[in-house]
Amino acid sequence: MGVKNYAQQRYKVIDNLLTNSMRRYPTMEDIIEKCEERIDRRPSFETIQKDIATMKLSPPDGFYAPIKFNASQRGYEYTDPDFSIDKIGLNDHDIESLKEAIDLIKSIGGARVSTKFSHAVEKILSSYKERFPKSDYSRTIVQTDTPPTSRGFEHFDLFFKACKDRIPVSMVHYSYNNRRFKPLTIHPMILKEFDNKWYVVGYSEFHDSLRTFGVDRIYAPQPIFKEFIKAQSSEIDTYLNDTYGVYPLDNEKKQIIKIAASALATNYLEAYPIHESQHLEKHQRGNSTITFDLVPSMELISYFMSYGNEIRVIKPSWIASLIQEKTQVI
Amino acid sequence: MKKIPKTILFEIHDSPNGKKNPQLLRVILNEEHTRIDFGYHTYPLYINGGWIKIAPETFIEEKETKKRYLLTKALNIPVSPDKLHFESQKDWQFFSLYFEPLPQINCTINVIEDENPTRDDFNYYDIELLMQDGVRVKEALIY
């Protein structure tokens, strides 16, 4: 535990003693003994004197604590009997910082921020609104892509808890491709967002492997009592970090993917790399050759296709052929 | 303190009597009701995918004792004569039927919408529920 944490604990002990109306005016010895009893460390006389001085300071260093030594009672007291450091609310600086952070979270999180969090924030700010009549809390400074709430998003909290507490979940999954429902038990490990869509990644008992499920295709998830099956962390890393998107192609391993990008596509890929393995070699005309070390995914292929003629896959040839086939179908 | 009823869930992976649509997906037993989850997808036989509904007389029959457990609630499917009309031949619907509670013992059940069924009725036979195959639901987080 850090020195600062011990100091915080001593402040609490001092505050408890000074607010104890049954035994008023604690002496220096009382404070030292109580600190020793509560935090297992006996502070020195000088330490407590320093603590009291700090508590008297203005925030953020102190608490503006009205501590005084009462000579006639030979002990310490709060001159304001209603004072307690527990009653200290957020100061102006704290509130401004909190508001900025909340604005930012709302901007980047939008509808994706849990409703429970939103309610908690509202509760905190409600008591401070009168102190900030000119608040520009509702003015948007940062705007991100925040789509309307999607189907299945109501399960977000359940899966968040299941991932956090490692609880297996029985659910019904509908496959858009096969047009089939399937009851499945999954051991959820992570919630992942990609392209404004939410996915649950976990071990699927039916598939006997790590799988990704779009929350929009999940019905009636039920947490169940069952031993949680945890995937190997190396497996999860490969699954999550070595893939662009969420659906790695079956039976494909991490491999070098090489593309030729026009000058226009190069500008975008240079500004917004799509994966940390991306390596870009720029040529004289502004075009480039770009390599990725990735497990091929449907999202990667769609991404290349979205650039039309501006991107050409050089390697592996099967991705080039697949894109050609798909382009012809469209 | 109110006793929390024990809830046992069965995932049904092989569709009973080969009926694929609606698919019978899960059976969930507790002391208050028996819930059965189904999934239905529309197909090209009907214009705009047609419609679905459930007969209010639908019941679960315990095969051995012939005891019947009546339908008490339908979720995401209208009870006849109301109908849910689909919009396309590629639509789907997840729905649940609630019945009077089955005992939590090994048993085989039939789900009967019509005792003289046509092709379109939702009848399922010989669904075996062995308690050892069920898993307990964490009620505090129930759907």
Side-chain angles (χ1 to χ4, degrees):
Chain A
M1 185 179 282
V3 174
K4 203 159 184 183
N5 279 338
Y6 282 117
Q8 291 292 341
Q9 291 190 0
R10 290 196 302 272
Y11 301 155
K12 288 288 287 179
V13 172
I14 296 168
D15 183 64
N16 282 340
L17 287 168
L18 294 177
T19 52
N20 183 354
S21 58
M22 303 306 289
R23 201 174 161 208
R24 300 180 66 193
Y25 311 111
T27 63
M28 180 59 78
E29 192 53 36
D30 292 336
I31 296 171
I32 291 170
E33 271 179 22
K34 197 54 104 182
C35 284
E36 188 180 14
E37 184 188 312
R38 291 277 171 85
I39 54 181
D40 251 4
R41 278 164 81 114
R42 187 175 176 85
S44 66
F45 178 87
E46 289 76 20
T47 301
I48 298 300
Q49 266 194 330
K50 228 161 109 181
D51 287 345
I52 290 172
T54 305
M55 287 172 75
K56 287 179 174 178
L57 293 175
S58 59
D61 299 319
F63 303 95
Y64 260 143
I67 304 175
K68 190 185 146 199
F69 184 75
N70 186 317
S72 62
Q73 300 291 337
R74 291 172 176 273
Y76 291 88
E77 65 173 344
Y78 280 142
T79 52
D80 173 1
D82 290 334
F83 183 87
S84 166
I85 62 169
D86 279 344
K87 289 183 190 167
I88 291 284
L90 303 168
N91 61 39
D92 294 359
H93 179 74
D94 293 337
I95 292 166
E96 274 309 322
S97 305
L98 187 62
K99 281 166 63 186
E100 280 171 19
I102 290 162
D103 281 347
L104 191 62
I105 291 168
K106 286 201 168 194
S107 298
I108 60 174
R112 288 163 279 176
V113 175
S114 157
T115 48
K116 275 195 276 187
F117 175 76
S118 295
H119 286 150
V121 167
E122 286 302 321
K123 238 196 257 178
I124 293 168
L125 286 185
S126 61
S127 53
Y128 291 97
K129 275 181 182 162
E130 283 177 23
R131 291 173 57 187
F132 295 91
K134 289 176 190 162
S135 169
D136 59 358
Y137 176 52
S138 58
R139 188 158 65 92
T140 304
I141 309 279
V142 178
Q143 189 183 25
T144 57
D145 195 6
T146 50
T149 306
S150 54
R151 183 171 56 220
F153 191 73
E154 65 274 18
H155 306 316
F156 186 92
D157 285 351
L158 185 148
F159 278 110
F160 180 84
K161 194 169 168 46
C163 290
K164 186 163 75 75
D165 298 340
R166 295 182 176 168
I167 302 168
V169 173
S170 168
M171 65 185 201
V172 171
H173 179 257
Y174 180 72
S175 162
Y176 291 158
N177 285 334
N178 303 330
R179 300 197 70 226
R180 290 276 294 164
F181 288 91
K182 207 182 275 294
L184 295 171
T185 294
I186 68 157
H187 300 250
M189 280 151 207
I190 197 160
L191 280 161
K192 181 169 177 169
E193 191 212 9
F194 182 78
D195 202 15
N196 278 324
K197 299 177 189 73
W198 280 97
Y199 302 86
V200 183
V201 180
Y203 171 79
S204 163
E205 289 188 10
F206 179 83
H207 300 95
D208 191 22
S209 62
L210 267 183
R211 288 279 157 157
T212 303
F213 301 96
V215 295
D216 54 309
R217 281 148 271 181
I218 291 174
Y219 293 91
Q222 306 266 190
I224 52 175
F225 286 99
K226 205 170 193 183
E227 194 179 340
F228 191 82
I229 300 170
K230 193 171 170 279
Q232 297 287 321
S233 57
S234 58
E235 198 186 349
I236 299 171
D237 283 349
T238 302
Y239 197 85
L240 293 174
N241 301 334
D242 297 341
T243 308
Y244 172 78
V246 281
Y247 292 114
L249 296 180
D250 280 345
N251 306 320
E252 287 299 334
K253 290 206 158 59
K254 191 175 166 185
Q255 55 195 274
I256 297 295
I257 296 163
K258 190 187 263 186
I259 62 168
S262 70
L264 180 69
T266 298
N267 289 339
Y268 285 107
L269 281 155
E270 201 175 21
Y272 300 103
I274 62 166
H275 191 261
E276 56 185 28
S277 71
Q278 177 178 315
H279 177 75
L280 188 146
E281 195 186 328
K282 211 165 183 178
H283 306 307
Q284 195 174 299
R285 290 181 179 174
N287 60 333
S288 63
T289 305
I290 305 172
T291 55
F292 305 94
D293 192 8
L294 284 173
V295 179
S297 62
M298 276 321 295
E299 291 81 8
L300 185 68
I301 290 166
S302 299
Y303 182 81
F304 291 157
M305 286 176 70
S306 72
Y307 275 91
N309 292 333
E310 306 290 331
I311 281 179
R312 181 173 57 84
V313 176
I314 302 169
K315 187 183 156 183
S317 56
W318 65 266
I319 292 186
S321 309
L322 186 65
I323 288 176
Q324 207 171 5
E325 268 172 43
K326 282 181 173 281
T327 311
Q328 278 164 1
V329 169
I330 293 165
Chain B
M1 201 160 101
K2 197 185 164 194
K3 190 183 159 203
I4 299 168
K6 194 165 79 171
T7 303
I8 310 285
L9 181 149
F10 299 86
E11 290 179 355
I12 312 291
H13 292 278
D14 297 315
S15 188
N17 54 293
K19 194 171 174 69
K20 298 264 193 291
N21 204 18
Q23 266 175 268
L24 194 153
L25 300 163
R26 296 191 301 193
V27 178
I28 300 166
L29 310 179
N30 76 19
E31 291 170 15
E32 290 166 2
H33 57 250
T34 295
R35 179 178 121 200
I36 305 186
D37 293 337
F38 295 89
Y40 180 83
H41 60 87
T42 59
Y43 48 100
L45 190 65
Y46 302 109
I47 297 164
N48 294 334
W51 48 261
I52 54 167
K53 62 179 183 178
I54 189 75
E57 302 81 22
T58 305
F59 61 90
I60 293 174
E61 179 186 62
E62 203 185 328
K63 197 176 172 188
E64 197 177 298
T65 62
K66 301 282 175 207
K67 190 170 175 197
R68 291 182 177 192
Y69 300 85
L70 305 180
L71 181 71
T72 57
K73 186 170 100 172
L75 192 67
N76 299 327
I77 183 170
V79 175
S80 182
D82 292 340
K83 291 173 183 168
L84 170 70
H85 290 271
F86 291 106
E87 293 173 340
S88 82
Q89 294 169 347
K90 300 282 184 189
D91 284 2
W92 70 94
Q93 184 73 8
F94 173 82
F95 63 92
S96 302
L97 300 180
Y98 289 76
F99 299 88
E100 293 169 330
L102 278 162
Q104 295 185 356
I105 53 168
N106 293 342
C107 60
T108 302
I109 59 168
N110 301 324
V111 180
I112 308 290
E113 187 184 25
D114 195 309
E115 291 183 80
N116 300 300
T118 63
R119 186 186 61 174
D120 292 335
D121 289 314
F122 300 171
N123 283 18
Y124 300 83
Y125 304 98
D126 297 327
I127 305 154
E128 197 174 29
L129 303 176
L130 300 174
M131 291 303 118
Q132 76 225 34
D133 296 339
V135 286
R136 234 189 114 187
V137 170
K138 278 184 179 275
E139 284 85 0
L141 290 165
I142 204 162
Y143 158 70

